[in-house]
Amino acid sequence: MLLIACPWCGPRDEAEFHYGGQAHVAHPDDPAALSDEEWARYLFFRDNPKGLFAERWSHAAGCRRWFNAVRDTATNEIHAVYRVGEPRPVNS
Amino acid sequence: MSTQPYRREGVTGRVLRFRFDGRDLEGLAGDTLASALLAGGVRAVATSVRLGRPRGVYAAGCEEPNAVVQIEEPFPEPMLTATTVELYDGLVATGLAGRGRLADRPDPARYDAVHAHCDVLVVGAGPAGIAAARVAARAGARVILADERPEPGGSLLGTTETVDGGPGRAWAAAEVDALAALPETRVLRRTTVIGHYDDNYIVAVERRTNHLGAAAPPGVARERVWRIRAKRVVLATGGHERFVAFAGNDLPGVMLAGAARTYVNQYGVLPGRRAVVFTTNDTAYAAALDLADAGIEIAAVADVRREPGRMWAARCAERGIEVLTGHVVTAAKGEGEVTGAEIAPRTGGRAREVAADLLLVSGGWTPVVHLFSQAGGTLRYDEGLGAFTPGETRQAAEAAGFAAGVTTLRACLADGAEAGRRALAALGFGAPGVTVPVVEEEPAAAPAEHLWLVESGDYGTHFVDLQRDVTVAEVLRATGAGLTSVEHVKRYTTAGTAHDQGKTSGQLTGGVVAHALGVDVAALGTTTFRAPYTPVSFAALAGRDRGPLHDPVRTTPMHEWHVARGALFENVGQWKRPWYYPGLGEDPGEDMEDAVLRECAAVREGAGAMDASTLGKIDVVGPDAGVFLDRLYTNMMSTLKVGSIRYGVMCRPDGMVFDDGTAIRLADDHYLVTTTTGNAAAVLDWMEEWLQTEWPDLRVRCTSVTEQWATVALAGPRSREVLAALAPGLAVGKDDFPFMTWRDAEVAGIDARVCRISFSGELAYEINVSSWHGLALWEAVMASGEVTPYGTETMHVLRAEKGYPIVGQDTDGTVTPQDLGMEWIVSKKKADFVGRRSYARADTSRPDRRHLVGLLPEDPGVLLPEGAHLVSVSAAASVPSSVASAALPAVPPVLPVPALGFVTSSYRSAALGRTFALALVSGGRGRVGERLYAPVGDDLVPVTVTSHVLYDPEGARRDG
Ligand SMILES: [Zn+2]
């Protein structure tokens, strides 16, 4: 079980968190302006890297805040956590 | 005759009586079941799973591959190893053939869980573990020392080695007692660490009363699961001896050399009278000498090497023990148990048979790297050991002692202490001055030679995995079939998949595979190590989460009333909802069908009430609440007037229905929205996710108020007069209190919010009061004498008659509002809402999408099973003529039969006087009037497609 450092609460057991998939996939500002393919990319396409991956987590059984984490999918090591709206840290 | 003929002379203790395979036997306190069986002369303990061969005790710990037993009394427990079952008075056990039996009665014992944190967790209280723990503990670190055995000492328990001038076993006991007395140190005995997970999350199982049998105190949990988060972990897990593949190496009487040494030294048991020793390394000599000192005749030592350790050869010569260098045991001889060993020069030549009842074997020792590997550590091959040792790990963990490939006692003590010091340094503790225990200098060992199998023309009884009955012949069949990875060979042969997970056989299997393929053992690698390290009972993992504590049970304020009236309950999420109330009508013995028909008729003809308190309720508050709801619901919520109510549907961005409910506008900046019972938490999560991640600029707060309100749904043509009597101050006239509005009122003297909404098509109200007053309101409604209580089944029938879908029953995440025939709820005016763009996708406007339709079975008495598939006429024609069914057209079969859809809801209707169903059917709205078939068992049930609204399609009953 991972030990995840919530940016608001500090390190907590993974069981307190809810996984939210890839981070930085914003809902398009004007979906109507998108082609079917562009909309389908937003809906259905996600990265699946072996290595560093920016992903969303929610501290569901704690402060209930969403935040982002950069995790190495091969080792499960979390390299950075940062709050919603903050940019992905460089080098992570 | 002694009941313990193989007990070592002079060994005494408290006598314990037990029964094995129907035989009454005796052992001594401190015995395991295995040592007591050996003391009693029981050689064959179990039977092999596939070949039915007799098997004896092979090892002395959790690595035991053979002696698998079932405890029968005091409480049945399957698949335990006799080597880890501590003997107690009254134990009744039987040997197994690879498969146990679960208890046929509930386990009376309690199980529990503990969460703990520590600075340093040391796994294993052998020499290295104790050395690490004493260094860390003396510095004031919070230390947990866990060991699977009842007594600390690890390898010291089975040897005659000395530490600080005294017996190693006594040293270990004194050191661990001293550790246990420290305030920040916890010693967990009989505690097996079974899993090492990410970020040093450790799971261990502590066996607290198993060893007491029927004498276990009732107030103490039998087993406890420890969930430990450790800053540093020292894995001092020791090693397991492995054997060599030779003919008949599974006969009772063949035993690992180190195990025999342990039985002699720790348990005072002689595993035989006359032994042959077969070894590839020096360690078996110490065993041979200890056995000789205990009075066991050592008939010969066959050492595959030309050059054994010089000291050992000399000591054997002193005792007149014959050492045959460059020799191997080619076969264990005997029927049912060992009576001799066939020894031959390794390079070939004449074999000779030596009589013996015990054949000790040592193929070298394998470090226990399970935990290190489970947590993602890499392994590297150690040429000296012929086994894999820990490499790199990203955990704050390290192996120490033999687990790290360190071989001598002196070096293990030093290595453990160093590991303790490194842990302290990493945690910022100052290193304490701790004296290093004094150990006699040991002579350097001669190099081992890694012999995996004794070559032969017939590998049929050269076992590599004793528990799975896998022989070299089967490994060769696997490699002959082209398998070149140990993982594939494992799956093909099942080697390493038994309860012991290949502790004694894994490296041997790898060696044999490498031998067969002509490749390096190092390059071949190992199979993946996975938790648990040893088998764990489900009861331990469940802990207290059983029975009523398995999952939270949520009940409404009116629950006791329903229980008292004999309601049966339906689980909806964690909620208990009244399902129906049998026997409240004239027939006290009515069944479900009759009760539901009665309840339905009451609502359609008079008045009924349902406890609707479980509906999810969320307060949405803030100046942007209207804007927010506009973005989440497909229809417009911001234009809703204070005092009014609107039904709404919420979709995912892909346009599929996610939930539905009503929005009540309480004030300009305050809505109360309802959700389906099972989806309340998911909808709140959904709202918070959008607010936090996409629209943080919106000034809105969402709060669950589900438990704060109790709700009574009052429905039926007579509901107005019932409400009027209960709420004399409320103007209930059709125009005073129109459909889809709400009023604050006093109902039965209780402050209430009354909503005029209907989920049955009848005139109906939902009366909401503070949950404290829910029961009082319900009782007041019932006291009117005019109202029939109804449950969820009736609610489902009534709404289905009206074609109202239940999200999650009539939808499955692939259904749009348009598919449900609710085009009207999807706003054309709003610029955007979640899901809108998806309705312009080609896929959501396909004419063959599945639509919600009604179905009328042609036989009005036939109730379709929910989930039944639907096929069309031409498809039905493809069914063989042997299938009995209604008149089918004689069209040639077309295979395969395409499924057009399936039944989502199916009921008997009192109002319609017949059965009906709802279904999702491809192009369904274009098929109204068409005949389809539902294959049910061997029958094809003909049905007619209809509109999904089957009752009161004009909506004439809404206003009563
Ligand atoms: Zn938090």
Side-chain angles (χ1 to χ4, degrees):
Chain A
M1 182 171 6
L2 299 178
L3 189 65
I4 299 173
C6 170
W8 304 93
C9 307
R12 295 289 188 277
D13 277 350
E14 181 185 346
E16 293 184 15
F17 296 84
H18 175 78
Y19 185 64
Q22 185 175 349
H24 309 299
V25 183
H27 188 263
D29 283 338
D30 184 6
L34 301 185
S35 69
D36 274 3
E37 189 188 325
E38 287 165 333
W39 181 245
R41 284 205 168 270
Y42 163 71
L43 286 182
F44 304 124
F45 284 64
R46 294 295 182 269
D47 296 337
N48 184 25
K50 179 180 180 182
L52 297 185
F53 187 46
E55 59 195 15
R56 306 186 315 153
W57 288 86
S58 157
H59 193 187
C63 64
R64 296 194 59 78
R65 301 242 196 184
W66 283 90
F67 61 92
N68 296 323
V70 177
R71 181 178 60 100
D72 187 321
T73 59
T75 66
N76 261 346
E77 194 167 2
I78 292 178
H79 288 251
V81 293
Y82 51 106
R83 297 176 183 186
V84 166
E86 292 177 355
R88 174 174 172 167
V90 284
N91 303 327
S92 71
Chain B
M1 185 187 152
S2 161
T3 58
Q4 301 179 48
Y6 287 83
R7 185 67 65 181
R8 190 174 176 179
E9 208 171 309
V11 174
T12 55
R14 190 161 59 85
V15 174
L16 304 173
R17 287 169 186 81
F18 70 105
R19 176 177 289 189
F20 185 78
D21 279 348
R23 276 179 66 186
D24 287 315
L25 294 158
E26 287 181 356
L28 297 181
D31 265 334
T32 60
L33 177 56
S35 67
L37 288 169
L38 288 170
V42 178
R43 307 297 292 267
V45 172
T47 313
S48 80
V49 65
R50 211 157 50 79
L51 303 172
R53 292 168 69 94
R55 293 286 166 78
V57 173
Y58 216 81
C62 71
E63 71 273 29
E64 172 63 41
N66 265 351
V68 175
V69 300
Q70 165 107 14
I71 292 191
E72 311 284 0
E73 299 288 344
F75 183 79
E77 201 173 352
M79 292 297 286
L80 298 174
T81 43
T83 51
T84 59
V85 173
E86 291 178 54
L87 193 68
Y88 47 81
D89 232 0
L91 173 72
V92 178
T94 48
L96 291 176
R99 198 171 294 141
R101 299 177 306 277
L102 289 174
D104 55 3
R105 56 185 193 264
D107 188 345
R110 287 171 47 183
Y111 297 83
D112 216 335
V114 189
H115 293 263
H117 294 79
C118 64
D119 293 319
V120 183
L121 171 74
V122 180
V123 185
I130 293 173
R134 64 201 285 273
V135 167
R138 297 275 158 78
R142 288 181 304 160
V143 174
I144 295 178
L145 173 62
D147 189 276
E148 62 186 348
R149 287 173 218 191
E151 187 182 340
S155 60
L156 294 171
L157 294 173
T159 67
T160 48
E161 291 165 304
T162 62
V163 181
D164 282 346
R169 189 174 176 177
W171 172 82
E175 286 291 338
V176 172
D177 282 348
L179 284 169
L182 295 174
E184 297 289 350
T185 295
R186 188 194 292 274
V187 174
L188 296 174
R189 297 171 202 265
R190 297 187 173 91
T191 302
T192 308
V193 173
I194 58 166
H196 188 175
Y197 302 90
D198 283 311
D199 299 321
N200 274 348
Y201 185 73
I202 300 284
V203 177
V205 178
E206 180 188 15
R207 293 166 297 278
R208 303 179 77 201
T209 68
N210 305 46
H211 60 289
L212 300 175
V220 178
R222 185 167 189 251
E223 296 182 5
R224 286 200 298 207
V225 172
W226 285 79
R227 302 195 168 94
I228 304 167
R229 189 74 78 168
K231 287 183 184 161
R232 302 284 309 181
V233 172
V234 176
L235 299 167
T237 45
H240 291 144
E241 197 167 21
R242 53 183 188 262
F243 51 95
V244 177
F246 58 86
N249 62 348
D250 66 326
L251 267 185
V254 181
M255 183 182 281
L256 292 166
R261 192 183 184 198
T262 296
Y263 285 116
V264 167
N265 289 322
Q266 184 181 351
Y267 297 104
V269 169
L270 308 178
R273 306 274 186 217
R274 181 179 154 91
V276 164
V277 180
F278 176 24
T279 189
T280 65
N281 63 86
D282 276 2
T283 65
Y285 286 87
L289 295 171
D290 282 0
L291 264 63
D293 290 347
I296 295 173
E297 185 185 349
I298 306 298
V301 176
D303 191 326
V304 68
R305 301 170 298 174
R306 288 266 163 230
E307 300 275 338
R310 252 184 230 153
M311 178 194 74
W312 298 114
R315 288 193 190 171
C316 285
E318 278 169 26
R319 288 174 173 78
I321 297 172
E322 185 182 14
V323 176
L324 299 161
T325 58
H327 277 66
V328 293
V329 168
T330 50
K333 293 291 187 184
E335 291 296 322
E337 61 180 277
V338 167
T339 53
E342 186 183 81
I343 302 176
R346 189 186 180 185
T347 50
R350 256 188 68 187
R352 63 168 165 140
E353 190 172 329
V354 178
D357 63 353
L358 183 63
L359 174 47
L360 303 189
V361 55
S362 178
W365 292 74
T366 308
V368 173
V369 296
H370 299 63
L371 299 174
F372 186 87
S373 175
Q374 279 176 23
T378 61
L379 302 176
R380 57 169 171 246
Y381 189 70
D382 182 309
E383 284 293 346
L385 291 172
F388 287 84
T389 56
E392 303 298 316
T393 180
R394 78 164 196 89
Q395 308 295 335
E398 66 174 298
F402 188 74
V406 177
T407 52
T408 67
L409 173 57
R410 176 191 282 253
C412 282
L413 287 164
D415 191 52
E418 272 311 306
R421 267 189 272 279
R422 278 192 293 273
L424 289 176
L427 297 173
F429 284 87
V434 177
T435 53
V436 178
V438 180
V439 176
E440 276 176 48
E441 189 79 52
E442 294 158 72
E449 186 170 337
H450 307 309
L451 177 77
W452 310 108
L453 76 165
V454 175
E455 300 212 25
S456 165
D458 175 5
Y459 287 120
T461 61
H462 283 53
F463 287 89
V464 292
D465 185 327
L466 294 157
Q467 182 58 210
R468 283 288 187 246
D469 271 344
V470 177
T471 64
V472 170
E474 272 140 332
V475 174
L476 294 179
R477 197 172 302 135
T479 55
L483 305 182
T484 56
S485 127
V486 277
E487 294 283 6
H488 290 153
V489 172
K490 172 180 176 176
R491 283 152 184 78
Y492 192 83
T493 63
T494 72
T497 63
H499 71 280
D500 58 336
Q501 292 282 292
K503 289 184 179 65
T504 54
S505 64
Q507 190 56 58
L508 172 56
T509 306
V512 171
V513 171
H515 175 89
L517 296 173
V519 302
D520 241 14
V521 183
L524 197 65
T526 65
T527 54
T528 306
F529 292 94
R530 294 191 182 87
Y533 170 65
T534 52
V536 187
S537 68
F538 282 113
L541 293 176
R544 295 189 181 206
D545 302 336
R546 323 161 56 172
L549 297 182
H550 174 64
D551 198 33
V553 172
R554 301 172 78 184
T555 57
T556 73
M558 297 82 119
H559 186 73
E560 292 313 315
W561 191 97
H562 309 313
V563 171
R565 296 311 185 284
L568 295 180
F569 289 86
E570 179 181 24
N571 294 325
V572 183
Q574 292 165 333
W575 286 103
K576 296 277 177 204
R577 299 198 67 182
W579 191 18
Y580 61 97
Y581 300 81
L584 288 194
E586 282 166 16
D587 172 13
E590 70 185 349
D591 60 10
M592 175 174 176
E593 189 179 321
D594 290 341
V596 171
L597 287 173
R598 172 180 56 75
E599 291 173 13
C600 286
V603 176
R604 291 275 182 238
E605 291 158 20
M610 182 183 69
D611 182 353
S613 306
T614 63
L615 275 189
K617 304 172 208 64
I618 300 169
D619 253 346
V620 179
V621 181
D624 297 320
V627 176
F628 172 61
L629 295 180
D630 276 353
R631 293 185 192 177
L632 281 187
Y633 285 93
T634 61
N635 53 342
M636 196 74 96
M637 292 298 183
S638 56
T639 56
L640 185 64
K641 290 189 174 58
V642 173
S644 287
I645 303 170
R646 192 163 286 167
Y647 172 74
V649 171
M650 223 180 250
C651 294
R652 300 268 184 195
D654 63 5
M656 304 303 151
V657 172
F658 163 51
D659 201 62
D660 71 343
T662 55
I664 298 169
R665 192 156 201 176
L666 298 171
D668 278 340
D669 61 351
H670 188 179
Y671 291 77
L672 186 136
V673 303
T674 64
T675 74
T676 52
T677 296
N679 238 356
V683 171
L684 183 63
D685 287 349
W686 185 240
M687 290 178 161
E688 291 186 344
E689 180 180 339
W690 282 94
L691 279 172
Q692 289 183 38
T693 65
E694 292 289 346
W695 309 319
D697 53 310
L698 292 186
R699 293 159 299 166
V700 180
R701 290 288 177 271
C702 304
T703 309
S704 166
V705 293
T706 303
E707 275 99 344
Q708 278 66 32
W709 293 94
T711 305
V712 177
L714 181 63
R718 298 189 58 199
S719 58
R720 181 176 285 130
E721 56 195 81
V722 173
L723 179 62
L726 288 168
L730 178 65
V732 296
K734 182 177 149 188
D735 299 323
D736 301 318
F737 192 177
F739 187 56
M740 296 306 264
T741 62
W742 61 269
R743 300 285 184 266
D744 280 335
E746 207 170 86
V747 180
I750 306 163
D751 286 337
R753 180 183 301 135
V754 186
C755 302
R756 243 207 82 190
I757 53 181
S758 174
F759 198 43
S760 58
E762 300 297 330
L763 172 68
Y765 304 87
E766 279 185 10
I767 310 167
N768 298 278
V769 297
S770 156
S771 56
W772 296 110
H773 303 299
L775 181 59
L777 172 67
W778 179 266
E779 285 178 335
V781 170
M782 288 300 148
S784 69
E786 309 286 326
V787 180
T788 300
Y790 68 95
T792 51
E793 189 67 15
T794 291
M795 178 266 284
H796 276 259
V797 178
L798 298 173
R799 64 86 204 174
E801 289 170 348
K802 286 289 292 177
Y804 298 150
I806 298 259
V807 172
Q809 174 163 342
D810 302 295
T811 72
D812 62 2
T814 68
V815 178
T816 64
Q818 296 89 337
D819 295 338
L820 295 172
M822 295 202 291
E823 187 82 47
W824 54 270
I825 203 149
V826 181
S827 168
K828 304 285 183 291
K829 290 184 213 149
K830 288 197 285 184
D832 196 23
F833 55 84
V834 174
R836 184 178 196 271
R837 175 63 182 80
S838 291
Y839 303 129
R841 292 178 61 227
D843 183 63
T844 53
S845 49
R846 279 187 296 113
D848 64 343
R849 286 192 66 82
R850 285 175 173 169
H851 300 151
L852 185 71
V853 295
L855 297 179
L856 293 175
E858 290 188 5
D859 177 344
V862 168
L863 185 70
L864 293 169
E866 289 173 355
H869 284 262
L870 297 163
V871 295
S872 75
V873 171
S874 59
S878 70
V879 172
S881 57
S882 61
V883 174
S885 126
L888 297 176
V891 180
V894 183
L895 293 171
V897 179
L900 293 177
F902 54 93
V903 174
T904 59
S905 296
S906 176
Y907 308 102
R908 293 180 198 282
S909 166
L912 303 174
R914 54 160 302 135
T915 59
F916 74 105
L918 297 178
L920 288 167
V921 174
S922 178
R925 284 196 288 277
R927 292 182 188 269
V928 169
E930 194 175 316
R931 174 197 272 176
L932 298 178
Y933 295 87
V936 178
D938 287 337
D939 268 338
L940 284 176
V941 179
V943 299
T944 305
V945 179
T946 71
S947 156
H948 60 294
V949 185
L950 287 153
Y951 182 75
D952 184 28
E954 310 78 25
R957 304 182 62 83
R958 190 187 76 190
D959 293 327

